[in-house]
Amino acid sequence: DQQVKQNSPSLSVQEGRISILNCDYTNSMFDYFLWYKKYPAEGPTFLISISSIKDKNEDGRFTVFLNKSAKHLSLHIVPSQPGDSAVYFCAASGAGGTSYGKLTFGQGTILTVHP
Amino acid sequence: NAGVTQTPKFQVLKTGQSMTLQCAQDMNHNSMYWYRQDPGMGLRLIYYSASEGTTDKGEVPNGYNVSRLNKREFSLRLESAAPSQTSVYFCASSHGEKLFFGSGTQLSVL
């Protein structure tokens, strides 16, 4: 039972345009959400996160939106750059204490940004 | 500052062999984790250690054991490897909400 789903295995975008990566979850106990970025032969690296008490969090070119009623979150990258080409994982946890690192990951979306 | 270091990077085992994956972090983090990544399934938590001296099962613990040797080191042991354990294994540590991952161990069990 996949509790966190990324239904788009891949996304292709032109440099300078917006990239929108989507993620859906089913467990209403999740209240902390994160996006990780992964390059080949490397471990995932933290990108941005959002708590369930917020609906938006921004960090430079990256913005995460959370719609709790729809159990949906999205990552917007504006403008997209070729160096953003990577696999993006959505992840969720019950926040606090030892729950922080016990993440449930989506399957990942391969983003390709074309020059 | 190396962050999270995993050894080995690659390993090929025969069914039934045993091995230990090593992980060390130099960030003085309390919590450490082992995840595996399989195609089309994202990363799944095998075991975690909230603090030195404690370990607990994650989502997919069967066939694995762990040891939190000290605050820095957290090892994962396969006692009798099976082809279903062919995967990429990631160790991570955290302080707060961010996980810091190692570069992974690619394990093939034939």
Side-chain angles (χ1 to χ4, degrees):
Chain A
D1 178 29
Q2 194 83 20
Q3 297 186 67
V4 177
K5 293 183 182 179
Q6 294 175 254
N7 291 317
S8 298
S10 62
L11 175 67
S12 183
V13 171
Q14 205 69 32
E15 181 179 7
R17 300 286 187 113
I18 185 171
S19 295
I20 300 176
L21 294 95
N22 294 303
C23 178
D24 297 296
Y25 63 97
T26 57
N27 189 338
S28 58
M29 298 302 291
F30 290 146
D31 59 3
Y32 199 81
F33 304 90
L34 309 93
W35 285 93
Y36 281 81
K37 176 179 178 180
K38 184 183 180 305
Y39 292 118
E42 295 183 11
T45 55
F46 172 79
L47 195 56
I48 193 169
S49 62
I50 188 167
S51 164
S52 61
I53 62 173
K54 296 185 176 181
D55 55 16
K56 177 182 175 181
N57 189 27
E58 257 181 291
D59 184 1
R61 296 185 297 113
F62 302 92
T63 303
V64 57
F65 296 92
L66 175 63
N67 182 334
K68 277 195 74 176
S69 61
K71 294 190 176 68
H72 177 82
L73 64 156
S74 61
L75 174 69
H76 292 207
I77 306 173
V78 184
S80 301
Q81 300 173 353
D84 295 329
S85 297
V87 180
Y88 288 79
F89 290 100
C90 169
S93 78
T98 59
S99 292
Y100 270 137
K102 293 168 60 180
L103 300 180
T104 301
F105 283 83
Q107 309 96 308
T109 297
I110 301 170
L111 173 66
T112 304
V113 181
H114 298 284
Chain B
N1 191 342
V4 179
T5 303
Q6 290 183 236
T7 55
K9 291 192 181 301
F10 301 95
Q11 184 71 49
V12 179
L13 293 177
K14 293 182 180 178
T15 297
Q17 287 185 317
S18 62
M19 81 159 295
T20 300
L21 281 64
Q22 306 287 354
C23 175
Q25 53 96 6
D26 61 5
M27 295 174 282
N28 202 35
H29 289 163
N30 288 322
S31 301
M32 297 186 73
Y33 311 82
W34 278 103
Y35 283 85
R36 60 179 286 176
Q37 184 192 5
D38 301 296
M41 298 198 70
L43 284 80
R44 291 180 294 168
L45 181 63
I46 305 170
Y47 268 94
Y48 67 99
S49 171
S51 61
E52 186 178 354
T54 69
T55 62
D56 212 338
K57 295 178 180 179
E59 181 186 353
V60 288
N62 291 344
Y64 305 96
N65 286 302
V66 290
S67 296
R68 183 73 184 267
L69 304 169
N70 47 56
K71 191 171 186 179
R72 289 187 63 247
E73 298 173 287
F74 188 38
S75 63
L76 179 72
R77 182 160 178 84
L78 287 71
E79 291 291 352
S80 178
S84 61
Q85 294 178 305
T86 293
S87 188
V88 181
Y89 292 84
F90 290 101
C91 177
S93 67
S94 73
H95 183 71
E97 72 276 12
K98 295 181 188 177
L99 283 181
F100 296 83
F101 285 89
S103 58
T105 295
Q106 189 168 322
L107 175 67
S108 294
V109 183
L110 306 178

